[in-house]
Structure formats: structure tokens, C-alpha cells
């Protein structure tokens, strides 16, 4: 395969994640508009967040094997088709229930093309170290999309344009990516070295693998700490009345920017230090950011929570890469689906749990106490990973 073709495949993968992030991370800006437009409760409006996440989880687990069975290109194109159709349907709908159903279809589509894209990274990476650096770059483009999407929605609302056109723009981008996918030549589908073909049964059996479960659990803990920021931090900072009002106003944007910067720094950092020690140091820093919020309240949170974005930046893509790299290339789609299931499930349930705890005790600070517990568990998991290095043998032999 030519260098130009490989470069095109890399950029195709980068733009998939950019497109996905544009829609998924703009939900926090859209929800207040929905509440006002349809007279919804916060619980009802939160379906805009958890509905696609639940269907991403289901799609990843139940359909992730398709990337290994029918090939990366075909699976990506199926996902793109569903995604584009759902996005364009936003322009001809004006019903909240229909919007939630369309988001569910988008979740299924993302589960398809994201698992195939993650599997494709294995074909583009000559080693698990190169795989990790590429994964961080890919997630860097996701982080940029997470900045662009909310900014576009905010601009549209200010200009008097409906937020639904964000999805129309995403649909147009999806069509362009589909055309590029049709044109580019993919790496030949790797042949299985066992007599067990890719299937849902094979994926479910993979859930028993300790490496798949271990990395999935660690990623779920990380997602629990990250999603707490972009779903509930704005609510927490509404109570801030100190001198850093401007910082509180733009705290979420600062978080996303620092997360993007950190992911592009990963290539440099991982060339100098081992990934295990990097994960441990970063997880300790995240825990300290949450601990400061727990001990000193909103006056510390206005600085510590946005700052945590810099430390969070490398953890998800690195753990995701190492978890996938523990398996042979012909299994990458299936294991990516398993990891994506736990990722999306955590993203759906954690904000809900934080909301329940906060409602019960009467303040969002108690929700962040729960998030501090998740950060502590993540730190302990990374301490164990550094101390025992359980994936060393698998990563060295695959």
C-alpha cells in the first residue's frame, strides 16, 4: 500500500472522530434550548445525552465483530449511511421524541464506524507503541471536534439559527467522508489464525478475557471522571461568586482546549517515558484536582476542574490502544466493541448517578464527591498497572 493511501486512511480516521465529537459534545449546549423549547424537565432533556450513549454501547458490543467479519471499509460505510440519514432527518423533524429516536440511530451508527475505525488503526500501526501514539492523535481530533461543535451551536443560537443545523452540517461532512471512503483502498482484511469466525458469540466470549475486562474497567473509571466535568461542571460553577468569574464562564471551553493540547503532546511524552508511569502520574493529578474540589468547594473547582483536562488528555486513548493491542489484528473490531460498550455505558450512567446523589443530598457538590471516588479508584487501578504491569507479556507477544 502506497504512502499516500496510508496518509489518506489516517486523515479519514481523524475526521471520523472529529465529526462524532461535533455532535456528541455539543449536547450540553443544546439541552438548555430543548428545556425552553419543549418545556422539559432536566431528566427528560438528559435523554439527549444518555440515549445515543446507550445505543453506542449496544452497537459496539453486538455489532463490533462486523469490522472483523465483513471488513473495515464495508462496516464504516454502513455506519456512515445510518449517521447521515439520521442527521439530515433532524431538518424535517420538530418533535422531541423523534429527535431522541434519531439520536439512538446515530448511536448505532457511531458504534459501527467507530469500532471499525479503531480496528483500522491496528492496520496502520507497525507496533503497539506506534498504535498508542496514533490513538492519541486520533483522540486529539476528537478533542478539537468537542470544541468546534459547542462553539457552532452557541454561534447559531446567537445568530437566531436553529441548533438542528449542526446535524445537517455533520450529515454533509459524513457524505464527504463516505465519498473518500469509497475512493481509498483499505488494508486487506486480516485472516483469523483460529477456526472461530468473528461473531456476536465470539465477542461475548471475549468479555471473559481478563485483559479485555481489565482495560474496559479502567476506561470506564476514566470516563466516569471525564463525563462529570462536561455534564455537571457548568452546574457546579453557577454557584461561584469569587473574583474569577470570567474563568468560571469559560471553564468548560478551557477544559476542552487543554484536553486537545494534551493529546497532541502525547507523542512527545510517550517517546520519553513508559506508558505505565505516565498513566500513574496523570491519574494522581486528576485525583488531586477532584480532591481539591471536594475539600475546598467551588472556589477551588473553578481552577482545578478545568485544569484536569490537561491530565485527562492521554489516559483514554492510551488505555484504549493498549487494550486493543493485547489482541491479534483480526480481533481488533470485536475487542474495540467490548471496550466501547463499557465506555459508553459509563458515559450514560455516571451523570445519572451523580444527578441522583445530588438530588438526594440537595446539592451538586455531593455528585462531585462521587466523582472524586471514581478518580481515586482510577488512581489505584493505574498504581496496580504500574506496579504489576499485567499486560506486559500479552503486549510483547501479540
Amino acid at each position: 500500500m502506497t504512502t499516500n493511501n496510508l496518509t489518506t486512511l489516517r486523515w479519514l480516521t481523524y475526521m471520523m472522530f472529529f465529526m462524532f465529537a461535533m455532535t456528541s459534545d455539543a449536547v450540553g449546549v443544546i439541552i438548555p434550548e430543548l428545556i425552553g423549547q419543549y418545556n422539559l424537565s432536566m431528566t427528560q432533556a438528559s435523554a439527549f445525552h444518555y440515549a445515543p450513549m446507550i445505543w453506542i454501547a449496544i452497537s459496539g458490543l453486538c455489532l463490533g465483530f462486523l469490522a472483523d467479519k465483513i471488513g473495515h471499509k464495508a462496516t464504516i460505510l454502513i455506519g456512515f449511511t445510518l449517521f447521515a440519514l439520521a442527521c439530515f432527518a433532524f431538518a424535517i423533524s420538530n418533535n422531541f421524541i423523534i429527535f431522541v429516536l434519531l439520536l439512538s440511530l446515530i448511536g448505532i451508527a457511531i458504534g459501527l464506524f467507530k469500532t471499525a475505525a479503531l480496528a483500522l488503526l491496528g492496520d496502520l500501526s507497525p507496533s503497539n507503541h506506534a498504535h498508542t501514539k496514533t490513538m492519541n492523535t486520533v483522540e486529539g481530533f476528537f478533542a478539537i471536534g468537542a470544541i468546534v461543535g459547542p462553539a457552532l451551536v452557541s454561534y447559531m443560537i446567537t445568530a437566531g439559527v436553529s441548533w438542528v443545523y449542526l446535524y445537517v452540517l455533520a450529515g454533509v461532512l459524513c457524505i464527504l467522508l463516505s465519498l473518500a471512503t469509497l475512493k481509498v483502498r483499505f488494508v486487506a482484511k486480516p485472516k483469523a489464525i483460529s477456526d472461530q469466525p468473528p461473531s456476536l458469540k465470539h465477542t461475548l466470549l471475549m468479555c471473559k478475557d481478563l485483559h479485555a475486562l481489565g482495560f474496559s474497567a479502567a476506561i470506564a473509571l476514566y470516563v466516569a471522571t471525564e463525563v462529570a466535568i462536561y455534564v455537571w461542571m457548568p452546574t457546579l460553577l453557577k454557584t461561584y461568586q469569587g473574583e474569577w468569574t470570567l474563568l468560571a464562564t469559560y471553564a468548560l471551553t478551557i477544559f476542552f482546549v487543554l484536553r486537545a493540547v494534551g493529546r497532541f503532546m502525547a507523542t512527545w511524552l510517550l517517546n520519553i517515558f513508559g506508558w505505565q508511569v505516565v498513566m500513574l502520574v496523570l491519574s494522581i493529578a486528576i485525583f488531586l484536582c477532584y480532591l481539591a474540589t471536594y475539600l475546598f468547594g467551588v472556589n477551588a473547582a473553578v481552577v482545578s476542574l478545568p485544569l484536569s483536562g490537561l491530565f485527562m488528555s492521554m489516559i483514554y486513548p492510551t488505555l484504549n490502544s493498549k487494550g486493543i493491542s493485547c489482541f491479534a489484528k483480526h480481533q481488533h473490531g470485536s475487542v474495540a466493541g467490548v471496550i466501547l460498550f463499557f465506555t459508553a455505558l459509563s458515559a450514560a450512567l455516571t451523570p445519572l448517578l451523580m444527578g441522583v446523589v445530588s438530588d438526594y443530598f440537595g446539592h451538586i457538590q455531593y455528585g462531585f464527591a462521587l466523582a472524586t471516588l471514581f478518580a481515586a479508584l482510577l488512581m489505584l487501578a493505574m498504581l496496580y498497572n504500574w506496579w504489576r504491569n499485567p499486560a506486559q507479556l500479552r503486549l510483547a507477544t501479540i
Side-chain angles (χ1 to χ4, degrees):
M1 181 170 288
T2 65
T3 302
N4 286 339
N5 201 83
L6 288 173
T7 301
T8 302
L9 281 174
R10 287 181 184 275
W11 276 100
L12 178 63
T13 307
Y14 298 157
M15 294 308 297
M16 282 187 221
F17 278 71
F18 175 86
M19 177 184 70
F20 163 34
M22 273 180 59
T23 56
S24 65
D25 283 26
V27 167
V29 185
I30 294 172
I31 284 177
E33 296 298 309
L34 292 171
I35 292 174
Q37 183 177 354
Y38 295 100
N39 194 28
L40 303 172
S41 68
M42 292 185 68
T43 301
Q44 290 171 327
S46 66
F48 241 64
H49 172 74
Y50 67 72
M53 289 300 167
I54 288 173
W55 282 102
I56 288 172
I58 294 172
S59 178
L61 183 66
C62 298
L63 302 176
F65 71 91
L66 289 177
D68 299 327
K69 188 176 184 67
I70 67 175
H72 305 150
K73 185 171 186 174
T75 306
I76 288 171
L77 286 172
I78 293 170
F80 278 173
T81 301
L82 294 176
F83 187 92
L85 289 173
C87 284
F88 288 131
F90 269 87
I92 58 175
S93 305
N94 193 29
N95 181 282
F96 177 72
I97 300 299
I98 298 299
F99 288 152
V100 172
L101 291 175
L102 291 175
L103 283 171
S104 300
L105 182 58
I106 284 176
I108 294 171
I110 291 171
L112 283 166
F113 71 70
K114 186 176 180 180
T115 51
L118 291 172
L120 176 62
L121 293 184
D123 297 334
L124 303 177
S125 307
S127 66
N128 76 72
H129 184 65
H131 189 277
T132 302
K133 292 191 291 185
T134 302
M135 185 75 79
N136 273 278
T137 303
V138 166
E139 291 291 343
F141 279 88
F142 179 93
I144 293 174
I147 298 169
V148 172
L152 277 174
V153 173
S154 297
Y155 176 77
M156 288 174 181
I157 292 170
T158 302
V161 177
S162 174
W163 55 266
V164 301
Y165 288 100
L166 172 72
Y167 291 91
V168 175
L169 288 173
V172 172
L173 178 57
C174 187
I175 293 297
L176 295 176
L177 292 179
S178 299
L179 294 174
T181 302
L182 286 169
K183 184 178 180 181
V184 72
R185 184 165 64 90
F186 278 58
V187 180
K189 185 166 69 74
K191 295 181 179 179
I193 56 177
S194 69
D195 55 4
Q196 187 173 32
S199 63
L200 176 58
K201 181 180 178 181
H202 176 61
T203 301
L204 294 177
L205 287 174
M206 192 174 285
C207 290
K208 296 181 179 180
D209 186 282
L210 291 179
H211 288 87
L213 285 178
F215 278 104
S216 295
I219 288 172
L221 287 172
Y222 163 76
V223 170
T225 64
E226 182 190 58
V227 76
I229 300 290
Y230 67 78
V231 173
W232 289 117
M233 181 176 68
T235 302
L236 177 67
L237 296 185
K238 278 185 177 180
T239 63
Y240 178 73
Q241 297 180 342
E243 299 178 357
W244 302 94
T245 306
L246 189 64
L247 180 60
T249 301
Y250 293 99
L252 191 57
T253 300
I254 294 169
F255 171 81
F256 283 139
V257 169
L258 289 177
R259 190 179 66 171
V261 169
R263 282 177 177 168
F264 286 109
M265 288 175 55
T267 299
W268 168 76
L269 194 60
L270 292 171
N271 278 333
I272 300 175
F273 303 103
W275 72 274
Q276 299 91 339
V277 70
V278 172
M279 295 297 97
L280 175 60
V281 171
L282 293 178
S283 65
I284 292 172
I286 292 169
F287 172 68
L288 291 176
C289 288
Y290 271 98
L291 184 63
T293 298
Y294 177 73
L295 294 176
F296 305 110
V298 69
N299 290 325
V302 71
V303 175
S304 64
L305 292 184
L307 180 63
S308 69
L310 184 62
F311 309 128
M312 289 186 185
S313 55
M314 280 174 269
I315 291 186
Y316 174 74
T318 301
L319 290 179
N320 202 14
S321 169
K322 296 304 180 184
I324 293 172
S325 296
C326 281
F327 294 83
K329 289 185 178 181
H330 72 274
Q331 297 176 305
H332 279 193
S334 297
V335 70
V338 172
I339 293 174
L340 182 58
F341 171 78
F342 287 98
T343 300
L345 193 64
S346 180
L349 295 182
T350 300
L352 179 61
L353 288 174
M354 288 180 66
V356 169
V357 170
S358 300
D359 285 338
Y360 182 81
F361 289 102
H363 199 282
I364 189 61
Q365 70 186 32
Y366 295 99
F368 275 91
L370 179 62
T372 303
L373 174 62
F374 292 139
L377 292 174
L378 174 66
M379 179 181 65
L380 292 175
M382 293 303 96
L383 177 62
Y384 176 80
N385 180 65
W386 169 76
W387 177 43
R388 297 299 299 269
N389 198 9
Q392 181 180 21
L393 182 60
R394 183 77 75 91
L395 289 172
T397 56
I398 292 295

